[in-house]
Amino acid sequence: MTAKLEPNVMAKVNSWLNGDYDIDTKQSIQQLIDEANDTELTDAFYKDLEFGTGGLRGLIGIGSNRMNRYTVGTATQGLANYLNKAFPNEAKSVAIAYDSRIKSDEFAKIIADIFSANGIDVYLFEALRPTPELSFAIRELGCKSGVVVTASHNPKEYNGYKAYWDDGSQVVAPHDANIIEEVNAIQSIDDVKFDGDTSRITKIGADIDEKYLNHILSLSISKDAIARQKDLKIVYTPLHGTGVTLVPSLLAKMGFEAVTVIEEQAEPAGNGQFPTVVYPNPEESEAMSKAVEKAKEIDADLVMGTDPDADRVGIAVKNHHGEIQLLNGNQTASVLIYYLLNAWKDAGKLTGTQFVCKTIVTTDLIDKMAAAFDVKCYNTLTGFKYIAQVIREKEGIEEFIGGGEESYGYLIGDAVRDKDAIASCAMIAELTAYAKDKGLSLFDMLMEIYKQFGFYYEGLISLTKKGKSGADEIQQMMADFRANPPKTLAGSPVTRMDDYKALTSTDFNSENTTAIPSGEMGIEPSNVLQFFTEDGTKFTCRPSGTEPKIKFYVGVRAALEKNEDFDSVYAELKEKVKGIGEELGLK
């Protein structure tokens, strides 16, 4: 053993060399020892890959801090133990899906074996499928839980594991903490039951696909407009992910006849390598570039791209200059919600008991629109599991129309309890056809919204602070903002501070502090600060829970009188966001 390793790392390495691990794993560890690769050994073994509130995510490889059969196995055994405690003397089943990443299918098989070995029936998708279909399947099949193997839009070297509860939502309190406790209680790999019971494992696929797609088709509002605009030119890229399994066929079922799929990005992951993109993330212009180029070539009306597990979608449309322009998550969420609100109103379905839902860092334009339709808008912490929590708590009392978050995740209807890029692609294509049927582009519709409700613009300032010193710096920044709130932002007085860690809201004009209700409606203690100004500016400070980053969300607004003013107002708002970042020294 190399002498440079810390004692805790050496102990962990020895436990793997001497424990019940496969020979290939032990040989790989020994090779790193022989090479004196202390850096890799330390990073792979200095801690256990943590099972957080959403599950696991990490680099693929050997070691306790990597995604491999043993870390995946331990997580699954812990979840199985909790299910058997939470539902004693009950028949239990789980659903399992996986994406196109390296080892995703292998991990899914291991997960299925462990659940089955623990007396739990398993529904395992026969091939890769989108995350939202997993959520749908849990509810459709009456499962107690579910797992999807995915690392979302992370680089190719990563994989992950997301755990779901019986309502099709990612696990929330108290189950999240209870599952973590069970996972942490496993002391030895010998406690993990890897030998599966094949009689308890059922393969699923086309039957669930049909039910899921029929559900999405039932959400359609403007079938006549689609029929008239069936030649709407759509370019779609699955970015080497699971969206290719359903989006093209869904658009065809809806009646769209001019859909172009980016073929070089249609092969799922290229054996996990994502060969045509740096990051398979539809938020990145680079990832969307091939689809945008094709749209320019064929003069397309709409571009859509989904991430590897197809829960998020990015879009591009022709702007008022005839150029293909990427829309951000706030803009897409706004046009989606606007379309849904109008459709429900036109159908006479708004009775005062409907609601939409979004996260606290998503554009307040949605709140403004909802109020105009006398529809409630609930705001939750960041994360779609909190939106799902609101849907669950309001079930049978109020009716969910739709919701979204600025990070490109949207949901229409409540049969799925996670962000759903498959249904979103369908509804975005439909609303584009609806707009074109009225002689408008989707971008024209966005400008109409801005003229009616105000031009809302949101900017994100993300600072990376690596290592322990970086983590300390992030905590200090949050402490400084709490102790010394900004008095003004862009010259406008700060009138209120909401502290989600203390769960208090302070009105600086009256100097009154009130409690922010928690424990329900998607709110619990979280290290987030929000500041509001007299002129409607919103500034949010939020450390990332998964990356060494602190994020600052800046929302500003202005009036837009006419389309011709769009460029000048847009430039003014962008400059205002930039100025706020500079005055607060965010660098």
Side-chain angles (χ1 to χ4, degrees):
M1 179 68 65
T2 173
K4 294 180 182 178
L5 292 179
E6 294 288 332
N8 66 308
V9 176
M10 293 179 70
K12 186 73 74 172
V13 169
N14 279 323
S15 73
W16 278 56
L17 284 174
N18 299 319
D20 191 15
Y21 296 84
D22 67 89
I23 189 64
D24 289 343
T25 293
K26 292 184 178 183
Q27 288 177 348
S28 297
I29 296 170
Q30 189 60 51
Q31 183 177 344
L32 291 175
I33 293 170
D34 295 341
E35 295 170 353
N37 194 335
D38 297 336
T39 300
E40 177 61 24
L41 280 167
T42 297
D43 199 43
F45 285 99
Y46 83 98
K47 66 174 184 175
D48 291 341
L49 187 63
E50 293 178 17
F51 190 98
T53 55
L56 300 172
R57 188 173 298 184
L59 291 165
I60 302 164
I62 59 164
S64 59
N65 190 35
R66 296 284 188 264
M67 284 287 295
N68 52 61
R69 69 177 275 110
Y70 302 107
T71 53
V72 166
T74 300
T76 306
Q77 186 64 53
L79 177 53
N81 290 347
Y82 181 63
L83 287 170
N84 281 325
K85 288 181 179 179
F87 303 102
N89 306 315
E90 267 187 73
K92 291 170 286 293
S93 62
V94 299
I96 302 169
Y98 58 92
D99 72 1
S100 51
R101 289 179 174 274
I102 296 168
K103 291 186 178 290
S104 281
D105 55 348
E106 179 183 323
F107 290 153
K109 175 66 166 59
I110 291 166
I111 294 163
D113 285 341
I114 293 169
F115 277 129
S116 67
N118 282 275
I120 298 170
D121 293 324
V122 175
Y123 295 102
L124 174 64
F125 275 100
E126 62 192 1
L128 74 167
R129 287 298 191 281
T131 287
E133 188 174 5
L134 183 275
S135 175
F136 178 85
I138 290 170
R139 294 170 58 77
E140 179 67 26
L141 298 168
C143 297
K144 300 299 187 188
S145 181
V147 172
V148 62
V149 181
T150 179
S152 188
H153 56 279
N154 274 52
K156 62 185 179 183
E157 297 84 3
Y158 285 76
N159 213 325
Y161 176 117
K162 290 197 288 191
Y164 288 74
W165 204 240
D166 59 358
D167 66 336
S169 164
Q170 288 190 57
V171 292
V172 295
H175 307 301
D176 50 3
N178 292 341
I179 293 168
I180 291 169
E181 187 176 325
E182 290 291 341
V183 173
N184 292 340
I186 296 173
Q187 297 298 310
S188 168
I189 198 65
D190 296 328
D191 296 333
V192 180
K193 300 176 182 178
F194 284 104
D195 295 329
D197 178 354
T198 55
S199 69
R200 288 188 174 274
I201 301 173
T202 301
K203 292 289 184 72
I204 56 174
D207 52 340
I208 298 297
D209 293 345
E210 183 178 5
K211 290 177 180 178
Y212 176 50
L213 292 178
N214 285 340
H215 158 68
I216 296 173
L217 290 170
S218 75
L219 300 172
S220 179
I221 302 161
S222 302
K223 293 182 176 67
D224 291 345
I226 293 172
R228 288 188 291 270
Q229 301 297 331
K230 63 184 181 180
D231 58 349
L232 185 84
K233 291 183 181 178
I234 300 170
V235 174
Y236 170 67
T237 174
L239 296 178
H240 303 289
T242 59
V244 73
T245 62
L246 295 179
V247 172
S249 59
L250 174 60
L251 293 174
K253 285 176 182 289
M254 293 177 73
F256 292 106
E257 297 179 357
V259 179
T260 300
V261 177
I262 303 300
E263 291 301 330
E264 61 264 49
Q265 295 180 327
E267 176 63 29
N271 297 319
Q273 297 302 311
F274 300 108
T276 69
V277 292
V278 178
Y279 296 106
N281 184 355
E283 290 186 62
E284 302 286 343
S285 58
E286 181 274 331
M288 298 288 284
S289 60
K290 287 187 180 296
V292 168
E293 283 304 312
K294 175 58 72 171
K296 292 176 181 176
E297 178 188 321
I298 67 172
D299 193 30
D301 300 283
L302 174 65
V303 177
M304 297 188 291
T306 52
D307 64 344
D309 67 325
D311 61 355
R312 301 187 313 133
V313 56
I315 73 170
V317 296
K318 276 186 198 170
N319 66 15
H320 53 307
H321 299 301
E323 301 163 345
I324 299 292
Q325 178 176 330
L326 292 164
L327 298 191
N328 63 38
N330 284 305
Q331 292 170 320
T332 303
S334 296
V335 290
L336 262 175
I337 297 298
Y338 179 73
Y339 175 66
L340 291 169
L341 289 170
N342 272 291
W344 280 59
K345 180 183 178 182
D346 292 346
K349 293 169 62 179
L350 295 183
T351 62
T353 60
Q354 286 71 38
F355 72 97
V356 297
C357 198
K358 70 180 188 66
T359 64
I360 58 175
V361 297
T362 300
T363 180
D364 289 341
L365 174 55
I366 293 173
D367 300 77
K368 186 84 175 286
M369 291 190 298
F373 285 85
D374 291 323
V375 168
K376 298 183 186 74
C377 180
Y378 295 116
N379 283 266
T380 75
L381 293 177
T382 302
F384 234 85
K385 64 182 180 180
Y386 295 113
I387 293 177
Q389 182 182 355
V390 174
I391 297 171
R392 181 171 63 250
E393 290 169 0
K394 292 295 179 182
E395 201 162 16
I397 305 167
E398 296 177 13
E399 194 173 8
F400 176 69
I401 294 175
E405 59 184 4
E406 45 73 43
S407 54
Y408 292 59
Y410 322 105
L411 177 62
I412 301 98
D414 65 357
V416 170
R417 298 297 171 88
D418 204 352
K419 48 190 178 286
D420 186 347
I422 309 301
S424 297
C425 282
M427 196 58 72
I428 291 165
E430 178 174 314
L431 75 87
T432 305
Y434 173 84
K436 191 169 185 180
D437 204 45
K438 294 183 176 298
L440 302 171
S441 69
L442 192 148
F443 199 85
D444 291 331
M445 182 184 286
L446 181 63
M447 289 197 291
E448 291 301 313
I449 293 170
Y450 287 155
K451 285 188 292 186
Q452 185 176 351
F453 300 102
F455 193 150
Y456 285 70
Y457 172 74
E458 293 78 27
L460 173 63
I461 302 167
S462 182
L463 304 181
T464 299
K465 306 285 184 179
K466 293 185 177 179
K468 183 180 183 302
S469 62
D472 291 342
E473 187 177 350
I474 288 172
Q475 293 307 312
Q476 189 58 52
M477 292 176 82
M478 293 298 291
D480 289 344
F481 274 113
R482 280 192 173 89
N484 301 292
K487 298 290 191 293
T488 62
L489 292 172
S492 181
V494 174
T495 58
R496 192 177 102 219
M497 177 179 78
D498 288 355
D499 185 342
Y500 284 89
K501 187 175 183 181
L503 291 172
T504 58
S505 179
T506 301
D507 185 318
F508 292 127
N509 290 330
S510 66
E511 297 186 355
N512 287 335
T513 297
T514 56
I516 297 173
S518 70
E520 56 184 15
M521 299 304 293
I523 299 297
E524 61 187 16
S526 182
N527 192 16
V528 179
L529 284 171
Q530 286 196 309
F531 301 94
F532 302 85
T533 72
E534 216 167 66
D535 71 354
T537 294
K538 181 172 75 173
F539 174 68
T540 306
C541 318
R542 175 181 167 264
S544 171
T546 57
E547 302 171 287
K549 291 180 178 179
I550 182 167
K551 296 181 178 181
F552 300 96
Y553 305 79
V554 188
V556 295
R557 70 187 192 210
L560 180 66
E561 301 294 338
K562 53 186 185 297
N563 290 5
E564 291 76 15
D565 295 337
F566 180 90
D567 291 340
S568 60
V569 175
Y570 179 54
E572 171 194 322
L573 293 175
K574 279 185 73 175
E575 191 61 32
K576 186 173 182 178
V577 168
K578 180 182 176 184
I580 289 172
E582 290 173 350
E583 73 177 85
L584 294 173
L586 303 180
K587 58 185 178 180

